[in-house]
């Protein structure tokens, strides 16, 4: 049985397969290539596996025929638990910054990432496969037990009408009436939250008007400076986790 600190350095992989004691697990061809050629792993070496449902298991490489790697789940290390019920609803922005936002939102524990197409959104397409791969890698690295759900882009109107009544929309507004973020989040009673972030050009006037109609909508200011959308996402998510989420 590995000592805890050794386990921490054991590679982690997200797998689709069910995980249970003694359960054989096949990994994808890409994962097999990664284990064999990048991590240079050998039979009998250990890995940590999670699938978003069954917690985290210590697994061993059983054999490595041709280009496959066959594992066996041996021991449950952690029970499955959920991240707080926090959504990030953000307009897609320039690729590098959007990829960065996806990675940071995953590390910061969002449950759902909902791209929103707004009037000033330049990038109208999201490469679902690329974004999912980024989220999986960030989940593996950050020791999450699940992958954030990444939804297909919708327009702000489609998202807002009808808005789920039990979820508080927190709109990040660099202009107009807004409450200092710390003060607004401190007062939050309902943990079910969505944080909304606009595109490089910000939300349009009519979008602010639409958002103001949402019941319980809160408009927050993230300080006096204009942040890039990815910076705003990190700032708002961090503050929320510290005040309302699982950093407490
Ligand atoms: N409209 C601004 C830029 C928008 S920045 C301009 O023209 O320069 C992109 C998004 O980040 C905004 O839509 C907002 O959601 C968020 N954001 C940036 N700075 C912010 C601040 N100081 N307070 C709240 N939200 C902010």
């Amino acid at each position: 049985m590995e000592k805890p600190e050794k386990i921490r350095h054991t590679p982690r992989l997200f797998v689709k397969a069910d995980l249970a004691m003694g359960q054989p697990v096949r990994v994808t061809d890409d994962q097999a290539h990664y284990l064999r050629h990048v991590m240079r792993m050998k039979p009998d070496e250990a890995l940590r596996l999670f699938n978003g449902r069954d917690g985290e298991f210590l697994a061993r490489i059983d054999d490595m025929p041709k280009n496959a790697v066959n594992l066996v789940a041996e021991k449950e290390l952690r029970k499955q638990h959920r991240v707080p019920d926090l959504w990030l609803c953000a307009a897609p922005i320039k690729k590098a910054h959007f990829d960065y936002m996806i990675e940071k939102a995953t590390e910061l524990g969002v449950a759902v990432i909902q791209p929103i197409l707004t009037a000033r959104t330049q990038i109208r397409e999201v490469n679902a496969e690329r974004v999912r791969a980024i989220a999986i890698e960030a989940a593996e690295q950050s020791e999450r037990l699940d992958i954030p759900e990444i939804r297909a882009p919708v327009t702000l109107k489609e998202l807002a009408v009808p808005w789920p009544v039990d979820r508080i929309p927190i709109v990040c507004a660099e202009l107009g009436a807004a409450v200092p973020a710390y003060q607004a989040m401190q007062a939050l009673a309902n943990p079910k939250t969505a944080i909304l972030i606009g595109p490089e050009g910000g939300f349009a006037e009519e979008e602010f008007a639409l958002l103001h109609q949402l019941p319980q909508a809160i408009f927050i200011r993230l300080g006096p400076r204009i942040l890039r959308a990815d910076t705003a996402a990190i700032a708002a998510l961090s503050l929320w986790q510290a005040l309302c989420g699982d950093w407490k």
Side-chain angles (χ1 to χ4, degrees):
M1 159 62 179
E2 267 83 6
K3 290 188 290 303
E5 68 279 1
K6 187 155 182 328
I7 284 187
R8 253 198 114 77
H9 301 297
T10 309
R12 289 187 88 235
L13 279 188
F14 174 71
V15 294
K16 289 194 168 49
D18 291 340
L19 291 171
M21 205 98 84
Q23 173 90 19
V25 177
R26 285 185 62 80
V27 296
T28 63
D29 294 349
D30 286 353
Q31 288 176 326
H33 180 273
Y34 168 74
L35 294 175
R36 182 190 290 271
H37 298 295
V38 176
M39 300 300 289
R40 301 197 174 289
M41 295 195 78
K42 302 278 180 281
D44 208 36
E45 286 186 325
L47 279 158
R48 288 179 286 164
L49 305 180
F50 67 106
N51 62 10
R53 303 184 301 279
D54 301 324
E56 181 181 68
F57 274 76
L58 190 68
R60 276 197 195 287
I61 297 180
D62 187 30
D63 65 353
M64 301 172 79
K66 288 194 308 296
N67 298 331
V69 173
N70 298 325
L71 305 168
V72 178
E74 279 185 347
K75 184 180 181 312
E76 182 188 62
L77 297 173
R78 284 192 289 166
K79 290 239 175 285
Q80 188 65 30
H81 65 262
R82 306 176 64 79
V83 290
D85 191 349
L86 173 61
W87 293 2
L88 171 65
C89 305
I93 50 177
K94 277 194 295 296
K95 183 172 168 293
H97 288 271
F98 193 62
D99 291 359
Y100 182 76
M101 184 195 275
I102 299 293
E103 182 179 69
K104 299 312 145 196
T106 302
E107 292 170 58
L108 291 170
V110 293
V112 169
I113 296 174
Q114 171 65 72
I116 41 174
L117 304 176
T118 71
R120 297 178 191 155
T121 300
Q122 305 289 325
I123 315 277
R124 312 290 297 184
E125 301 277 317
V126 171
N127 179 325
E129 200 175 316
R130 189 189 83 240
V131 163
R132 180 162 169 77
I134 291 167
I136 288 174
E137 192 166 335
E140 290 171 341
Q141 172 276 323
S142 61
E143 311 234 336
R144 273 183 75 139
L145 290 173
D146 66 348
I147 311 295
E149 180 192 338
I150 298 177
R151 294 183 175 164
V154 291
T155 65
L156 182 65
K157 193 157 178 59
E158 285 164 352
L159 177 71
V161 182
W163 178 264
V165 285
D166 61 349
R167 188 168 297 277
I168 296 185
I170 296 186
V171 182
C172 295
E174 77 286 359
L175 299 171
V179 177
Y182 182 90
Q183 187 184 322
M185 292 196 190
Q186 224 181 4
L188 273 190
N190 176 356
K192 271 192 177 186
T193 306
I195 288 176
L196 286 85
I197 306 242
E200 291 91 343
F203 288 115
E205 276 313 304
E206 68 274 11
E207 290 168 335
F208 275 124
L210 172 64
L211 292 167
H212 268 288
Q213 287 161 21
L214 299 186
Q216 307 184 75
I218 297 173
F219 289 70
I220 65 168
R221 185 81 88 241
L222 296 165
R225 287 166 292 283
I226 301 289
L227 311 175
R228 278 190 180 279
D230 43 339
T231 313
I234 293 171
L237 294 175
S238 299
L239 200 55
W240 190 92
Q241 286 291 16
L243 289 171
C244 317
D246 63 9
W247 284 10
K248 288 194 288 196

